[in-house]
Amino acid sequence: MKYLHLIWRSLMRKKLRTTMTVLSIGVAFVLFALLAAIRLAFSMGVDIVGADRLIMIHKVSIIQLLPISYLEQLRRTDGVVDATHATWFGAIYQEPKNFFPQFPVEPEAYLRLYPEIVIPEEQKAAWFADRTGAMVGRKTAERFGWKIGDRIPLQAPVWRNKTSGSAWEFTIRAIYEGREKGFDETNMFFHYDYFDEARFFGEGLVGWYILRIDDPQRAAEIAERIDAQFANSRYETKTTTEKAFLQAFADQVGNIGAMLTAILTAVFFTILLVAGNTMAQSVRERISELAVLKTLGFSNRLVLALVLAESVVLAGVGGALGLAIGGLLVKALGSSGQIANLLSVFYLPPKDVLIGSALAVALGLVCGALPAFRAMRLRIADGLRRT
Amino acid sequence: MNALLQVVLVVWVNLRTVPQRLGASLAAMVGVAGVVAVMVAVLSIGEGFRQTLATTGDDATVIVLRGGTDTEMNSVLTLDSTRIIADAPGILRVDGAPVASSELFVIVDLAKKATGTDANVPLRGVQELAFEVRPRVRIVAGRRFEPGRNEVIVGIGAVEAFSGLDIGNELKFGNGIWTVVGHFSAAGTLPESELWADAKVVGPAYMRGEIFQSVYARLESAEAFQPFKDALTSDPRLDVKVEREAEYYAGQSRYITVLVQTLGLLVAVVMGLGALFGAFNTMYSAVAARTREIATLRAIGFGAGPVVISVLAESLLLASVGAVVGAAGAYVAFNGFRAATINWDTFSQVTFGFAVTPELMLLGIVYALILGTIGGLFPAIRAARLPVATALRAL
């Protein structure tokens, strides 16, 4: 600790250079924070999904429907604790660019299967009681300025209504939030009973089933048994864990993870060169000072440690600054504007803050390694001669 | 001595000393190269996707959907409607038959080669004249499917991106087994991502009955569009939406293009800031290293202007070398790189190639030059303001 002052003075020797270096390292970590949020946004919530849920879809593809009669059979299946279903509604609010997902569901059962959905008790009761009532996510409600009791007209191109063609109307009875950060708060849910009765065709058909199983370890075995049960019927099924289902869905967008890793590698490599160059230059300029330190009795190792520490402090300050600014930036972008409308989930996960901090320290060590090594090997006589 | 000569001389003297500061100069160049490479690469994704969809349409080709729908996925047309549409005025006729194809658009799950996970691959049920409606579609291997049989042909983009689509392979979907009998190309356009089969067999397999989703038709000319559209939209028996194929597909690229451009520019701005700080460092240290030289020049009568310009010239040189390296690197590494992503409008996969266009490379280079100018300006001003007497005394 007593050397802290010495390290500080070395860094302040050229204030401008130190500032610029800290800022360029900081920028790299702003980018790191942004890309972490982007990666998360494209991961479709795979990281936070419950391990005990399975998704069952039609074997050919998710756009094919399954009969409602499967529900009872599923609830009786060994290993399945609870089951419900959902269907893609795909309606438009005013114009196509106002996209948000809507699903007819069985309200009670759906909330049982998704305890992540949090709503006040009185809203829950109001929603259950109103056949044309709907529950919307906080983000969507904020986006369109909807409040409890508002009537929302939607145009459904696929699911025509028996009486009013493509026009449907719902009353907002509940606004939900996610129990955890990162849970999708842009969806809208409404009563399947109302949907099934009013729709023009497809009566008794649903999009997919969601199951809760008693033991996540047995997921593969239970899934296989369920699919065998419906094999060779008119509607064959494919059951996977919700995690695998979402992962496959995320992969449909493309290998976002690999792409972002490539960008970050380029950024860090660049910063490594810039910061490494600064450290090397700074040590070169101080050769004679270092030689004096050694003359005073500083050991080789101590000199090595001092230079390394200087580099780590530089990277650490830059990293902390960058992560802080990056965090604020992500927060600002995620709360409103274009990015918030394009991506349903956009925040910086704490895990990535930790990874970022570790990266900053590692960056400092790598940048400082070569100059520190040179400083350690420096012979006093050579160092003093060079002025 | 005239001013121009002064500038040339000082710039020349300065640039000749750049190799002495090779380390710092290289760091600045690599910084700029990194920014340009990443920016161009990210934007080339959006551009490639846009090009694939934008070039798909032809002005003389129209798509007819049900009124109020914006994609084939959502649309439903009855057999009667498709017949009325095919008889409308303006459609090109060959041997008396209208060049039109009533089509189905469904999805089949296939494993993506890159990740091994299932993806929604579009399967199009077409009628015989579909090949006349889209003259760019050409069989490159195997043969066309035979009407009435469970046979599919596969676009070359899909062959590359998804497993199990080689000729002779069998696929199981709908209520039967399908054989891949051919591969086709479509000049880099969207159909290359699709599987095609006879609508007559796709319909029953997907329990669609006598229902179609869209009608594609070739008009006599691009000008025939308006009368054709008017005829259909004023027909009381129909409720349809008529669009030029080009407009239909251009609209679908909007979401992804906007998303990629927004994110790409965001990354470029932030990275540019980082490179700027790096450039400041390099240029300030370059000025510091040249303190005595600059002071000497000033002492023997060179003006402040040429000194400023010489520092700027160095900075711009580093930036432009970096920019060219970065842009060229992005071109070599990413141009034509094949990828597949989801088209949210149709909920199905599109395969496309990254497009590093000259415009994007130029954009990257211009951005780098702006960075170089800013990065050199402040150090240049400092150089010009050096007090000559003290600077001469400097080490």
Side-chain angles (χ1 to χ4, degrees):
Chain A
M1 274 303 113
K2 60 180 171 178
Y3 297 114
L4 218 53
H5 189 62
L6 185 60
I7 294 170
W8 179 249
R9 294 306 297 230
S10 322
L11 283 172
M12 286 299 107
R13 202 166 163 275
K14 291 236 161 137
K15 288 200 190 66
L16 186 70
R17 182 165 68 201
T18 304
T19 314
M20 290 301 160
T21 311
V22 165
L23 287 177
S24 62
I25 293 172
V27 165
F29 283 90
V30 170
L31 214 51
F32 175 84
L34 270 180
L35 295 182
I38 292 174
R39 190 188 56 76
L40 183 86
F42 281 104
S43 73
M44 310 275 165
V46 167
D47 298 341
I48 59 162
V49 77
D52 61 348
R53 275 195 301 252
L54 302 183
I55 299 282
M56 180 175 100
I57 64 170
H58 191 290
K59 195 177 177 187
V60 173
S61 84
I62 192 165
I63 64 163
Q64 260 95 321
L65 303 171
L66 294 169
I68 186 84
S69 60
Y70 281 10
L71 186 61
E72 281 314 309
Q73 242 173 303
L74 284 172
R75 284 184 173 149
R76 283 197 309 269
T77 305
D78 175 44
V80 174
V81 186
D82 204 347
T84 190
H85 58 79
T87 307
W88 178 257
F89 190 55
I92 295 159
Y93 175 62
Q94 290 172 343
E95 48 179 331
K97 79 173 179 52
N98 289 339
F99 170 83
F100 66 95
Q102 314 97 17
F103 310 93
V105 297
E106 308 170 293
E108 289 94 341
Y110 199 83
L111 291 182
R112 273 203 315 272
L113 271 140
Y114 285 95
E116 292 99 320
I117 295 177
V118 180
I119 44 171
E121 279 305 320
E122 72 273 14
Q123 292 187 10
K124 196 188 275 184
W127 181 40
F128 289 174
D130 181 358
R131 265 168 61 81
T132 63
M135 170 176 80
V136 295
R138 182 186 57 85
K139 270 197 163 177
T140 295
E142 281 172 7
R143 181 175 167 199
F144 301 116
W146 293 342
K147 290 178 299 297
I148 302 280
D150 283 2
R151 293 187 72 76
I152 307 301
L154 296 178
Q155 297 289 324
V158 178
W159 296 114
R160 302 225 150 183
N161 191 308
K162 273 179 199 159
T163 50
S164 50
S166 60
W168 292 73
E169 206 173 53
F170 301 96
T171 313
I172 295 184
R173 291 296 174 204
I175 293 176
Y176 76 86
E177 289 187 21
R179 193 179 57 191
E180 290 169 72
K181 225 177 178 185
F183 188 77
D184 193 339
E185 293 177 342
T186 63
N187 297 331
M188 171 175 144
F189 301 94
F190 57 94
H191 289 253
Y192 171 78
D193 290 346
Y194 166 55
F195 167 69
D196 196 43
E197 216 177 281
R199 65 176 151 176
F200 185 64
F201 71 99
E203 212 171 305
L205 293 174
V206 299
W208 59 93
Y209 284 94
I210 305 131
L211 325 166
R212 164 160 300 124
I213 52 174
D214 53 6
D215 180 6
Q217 304 286 332
R218 287 172 61 208
E221 178 229 322
I222 295 174
E224 208 169 304
R225 208 143 33 77
I226 291 171
D227 289 341
Q229 196 174 323
F230 300 119
N232 300 318
S233 74
R234 225 179 105 172
Y235 302 92
E236 295 196 61
T237 61
K238 183 164 66 185
T239 310
T240 50
T241 61
E242 189 173 26
K243 201 181 187 79
F245 177 77
L246 290 175
Q247 184 62 55
F249 205 79
D251 286 343
Q252 294 227 36
V253 177
N255 205 339
I256 302 287
M259 212 181 80
L260 297 184
T261 310
I263 296 181
L264 271 183
T265 311
V267 172
F268 276 100
F269 181 70
T270 309
I271 295 302
L272 193 71
L273 275 178
V274 172
N277 176 56
T278 313
M279 279 310 295
Q281 200 174 5
S282 152
V283 168
R284 239 188 340 264
E285 285 170 12
R286 293 197 325 246
I287 292 277
S288 54
E289 280 174 37
L290 292 171
V292 170
L293 284 184
K294 288 192 174 183
T295 317
L296 291 175
F298 280 60
S299 70
N300 282 342
R301 280 192 179 187
L302 186 56
V303 171
L304 173 93
L306 281 175
V307 177
L308 266 186
E310 192 182 320
S311 167
V312 171
V313 168
L314 201 65
V317 172
L321 190 73
L323 287 174
I325 295 175
L328 291 176
L329 188 65
V330 166
K331 202 163 194 170
L333 288 171
S335 54
S336 64
Q338 192 152 33
I339 298 221
N341 287 344
L342 290 171
L343 303 170
S344 57
V345 170
F346 197 72
Y347 75 98
L348 179 61
K351 188 187 79 186
D352 286 293
V353 176
L354 282 180
I355 297 177
S357 314
L359 264 177
V361 173
L363 186 73
L365 288 175
V366 175
C367 288
L370 208 65
F373 195 63
R374 193 184 289 162
M376 181 182 82
R377 295 269 295 267
L378 177 72
R379 283 164 47 198
I380 297 178
D382 292 345
L384 286 177
R385 205 181 306 135
R386 280 210 282 183
T387 38
Chain B
M1 194 158 49
N2 75 43
L4 192 66
L5 188 63
Q6 272 197 15
V7 170
V8 172
L9 280 175
V10 178
V11 169
W12 178 238
V13 166
N14 185 12
L15 293 188
R16 274 182 38 177
T17 62
V18 170
Q20 292 169 13
R21 301 183 293 273
L22 200 61
S25 307
L26 268 179
M29 275 193 274
V30 172
V32 172
V35 174
V36 173
V38 168
M39 172 175 165
V40 172
V42 173
L43 292 180
S44 77
I45 300 173
E47 181 61 21
F49 187 79
R50 195 193 63 76
Q51 278 186 5
T52 300
L53 288 179
T55 56
T56 295
D58 182 314
D59 274 347
T61 308
V62 288
I63 172 172
V64 182
L65 302 170
R66 183 170 75 182
T69 57
D70 47 345
T71 76
E72 280 175 89
M73 202 70 182
N74 291 341
S75 171
V76 179
L77 294 172
T78 61
L79 185 62
D80 289 340
S81 312
T82 63
R83 287 190 176 139
I84 298 169
I85 294 164
D87 281 336
I91 295 186
L92 187 69
R93 284 175 181 265
V94 173
D95 304 331
V99 181
S101 165
S102 304
E103 307 193 341
L104 284 162
F105 186 85
V106 293
I107 282 172
V108 54
D109 265 11
L110 293 174
K112 215 169 177 170
K113 278 183 187 168
T115 55
T117 46
D118 282 352
N120 301 342
V121 181
L123 167 66
R124 189 178 284 282
V126 300
Q127 294 183 324
E128 277 153 70
L129 286 172
F131 294 95
E132 268 61 53
V133 176
R134 301 181 187 76
R136 280 182 293 198
V137 171
R138 286 219 168 77
I139 297 289
V140 292
R143 58 173 172 85
R144 288 186 188 179
F145 56 81
E146 273 179 35
R149 300 183 63 165
N150 280 12
E151 293 178 340
V152 290
I153 56 173
V154 183
I156 51 174
V159 173
E160 212 178 310
F162 310 106
S163 341
L165 296 175
D166 295 327
I167 291 176
N169 273 13
E170 289 186 339
L171 303 171
K172 203 165 174 274
F173 58 79
N175 49 11
I177 294 175
W178 304 66
T179 315
V180 177
V181 295
H183 290 168
F184 65 89
S185 71
T189 61
L190 194 62
E192 287 186 359
S193 311
E194 300 175 340
L195 273 59
W196 280 19
D198 186 359
K200 276 201 291 294
V201 282
V202 173
Y206 279 74
M207 294 176 241
R208 293 288 160 117
E210 303 242 286
I211 292 231
F212 292 93
Q213 279 161 297
S214 58
V215 176
Y216 282 79
R218 193 153 186 85
L219 300 179
E220 288 156 356
S221 67
E223 290 72 42
F225 177 73
Q226 202 54 43
F228 172 77
K229 181 177 179 175
D230 294 343
L232 288 189
T233 45
S234 61
D235 192 321
R237 294 168 297 173
L238 295 174
D239 168 22
V240 294
K241 177 169 160 184
V242 183
E243 263 187 297
R244 282 188 206 270
E245 197 189 19
E247 284 157 16
Y248 172 71
Y249 284 112
Q252 294 191 355
S253 68
R254 216 164 292 137
Y255 177 85
I256 299 256
T257 315
V258 168
L259 186 66
V260 170
Q261 277 174 355
T262 312
L263 297 178
L265 290 177
L266 192 67
V267 168
V269 168
V270 175
M271 262 191 98
L273 218 58
L276 197 59
F277 294 129
F280 275 143
N281 247 348
T282 302
M283 293 316 297
Y284 274 122
S285 66
V287 169
R290 288 174 56 215
T291 302
R292 259 209 296 197
E293 175 196 321
I294 291 170
T296 311
L297 287 173
R298 299 297 308 279
I300 59 176
F302 283 84
V307 170
V308 168
I309 292 173
S310 79
V311 175
L312 272 180
E314 179 177 344
S315 167
L316 281 174
L317 178 77
L318 298 182
S320 48
V321 172
V324 170
V325 170
Y331 182 84
V332 171
F334 293 112
N335 194 39
F337 182 84
R338 300 293 300 179
T341 189
I342 195 162
N343 176 359
W344 290 109
D345 281 306
T346 56
F347 204 54
S348 60
Q349 293 280 313
V350 179
T351 65
F352 66 99
F354 289 17
V356 181
T357 59
E359 289 81 17
L360 285 184
M361 289 162 70
L362 194 67
L363 184 71
I365 291 172
V366 168
Y367 183 51
L369 292 180
I370 294 173
L371 292 178
T373 310
I374 303 173
L377 193 63
F378 295 99
I381 291 171
R382 166 182 280 201
R385 285 199 182 148
L386 279 178
V388 176
T390 30
L392 272 177
R393 228 179 290 133
L395 274 179

